[in-house]
Amino acid sequence: MSFSELGLHDDLLRAVTAQGYTQPTPIQQKAIPVVLEGRDMLASAQTGTGKTAGFTLPMLQRLAGGKKPGKRQVRALVLTPTRELAAQVGESVSVYGQHLSLRSHIIFGGVGQQPQVDALKAGLDVLVATPGRLLDLHQQGHVDLSSVEILVLDEADRMLDMGFIHDIKRLLRLVPKKRQNLLFSATFSNEIQALAQQLLDNPALIEVAPRNTTAEKILQTVYRVDRDQKRHLLAHLIQQHGWFQVLVFTRTKHGANRLAEQLSKQDIPAMAIHGNKSQGARTRALGAFKSGDLQVLVATDIAARGLDINELPHVVNFDLPNVAEDYVHRIGRTGRAGSNGEAVSLVCVDEHGLLSGIERLIKQNLPKRIEPGFEPDPNAKPEPIENGRRGQQQPRAKRKTDGQGAKADGQRRRARR
Ligand code: AMP
């Protein structure tokens, strides 16, 4: 199956070819015709499956086809949970739409609002935004959403996890009743089903397996190790095997910072990326990591969600995630685009229950190893796990610190109530 067989026009096909894509991915094969038809869609697909092109390409085609004379109005609104995902989707819109005369812009908190206000004033066809900043700008009278024809909620489950449900409901009141709705979510919790019920009209249901949940391309290994030896074992493994571009997951923001510092002290260039970092710091860290200048990126689950980092050779679970599904999301970042990947988990005595939960979910027993020199103490007693994840998932309005921009967002929102 080719992209042209899916009904995409020449201008979009040229952009796709320039990206080097020869064949649509499974989600693209299913989603593109549905979106072109103008139907609502509920899709279960994760980052790495090609879902962004799956909705962006047909959305752009519809917008280009139905263009009206006069001032540009926001006709497509894409909402994302994080700034990084907004930036990535916005980039895709620019790249795929390079031969069309549509204008798009990205709006998120943590950066100055003036360039965003200027872009809105100049007129836009496509707006990619995180909910908080968008509502702030709307409240200040800078955004008109009354001409929206296509609404996309990307990573809707994560938006709900992050406490955006009220923001989403407010935004739904600002767009016209008659519109096309596309909802993407990695999971179908009761909450997502309730949202889908409210949002979607006779949707096409599309499901594709995450590109890498199958173990075949990912070598998964568990190292048993003592809690306080984990960082030494990690440094040892990185140095011994000469690992490069290692994405390391920790459970807490504090843990991410501490680990990045410790690795850097051992001459392993590392930076942390999480919600308390400024937008500039996050962008710099991600850029250095992608370009290969930074050997290790340490991230929390929420910060890592939606990052488009391709063909990552190594993912390390420095801490096992509290939620077993997150293990699948984490390791899904390795071995993209046909290359092999390796996922290593460092597991101490506190985490045996979490490991069993993961093995039940993925229906396989993971191979366990002990690295010579890092043998765990057989008499070690489990301790309760420090639970940073819940803290990160507090609803936005309750969070005390999430970078300057988010703080400013919160203050404005409180003022609004
Ligand atoms: P996404 O799941 O949208 O985050 O996309 C994951 C990665 O796959 C991105 O880097 C895309 O550039 C790439 N990609 C999307 N569609 C294709 C395709 N048809 N062939 C090859 N790579 C693709």
Side-chain angles (χ1 to χ4, degrees), residues 3 21 23-25 28 46-52 211 308 310:
F3 278 101
Y21 306 166
Q23 213 179 307
T25 65
Q28 290 163 1
Q46 298 170 355
T47 297
T49 54
K51 70 177 163 80
T52 314
R211 200 140 131 189
D308 174 22
N310 282 327

Side-chain angles (χ1 to χ4, degrees), residues 251 301 317 319-324 326-327 330 354 358 389:
R251 199 174 294 122
D301 285 292
N317 296 304
D319 303 310
L320 284 184
N322 289 343
V323 179
D326 282 346
Y327 177 84
R330 289 177 177 189
L354 295 177
I358 289 166
R389 196 170 186 281

Side-chain angles (χ1 to χ4, degrees), residues 19 28 33 76 79 132 346 359:
Q19 288 302 299
Q28 290 163 1
L79 295 176
L346 310 186
E359 291 182 323

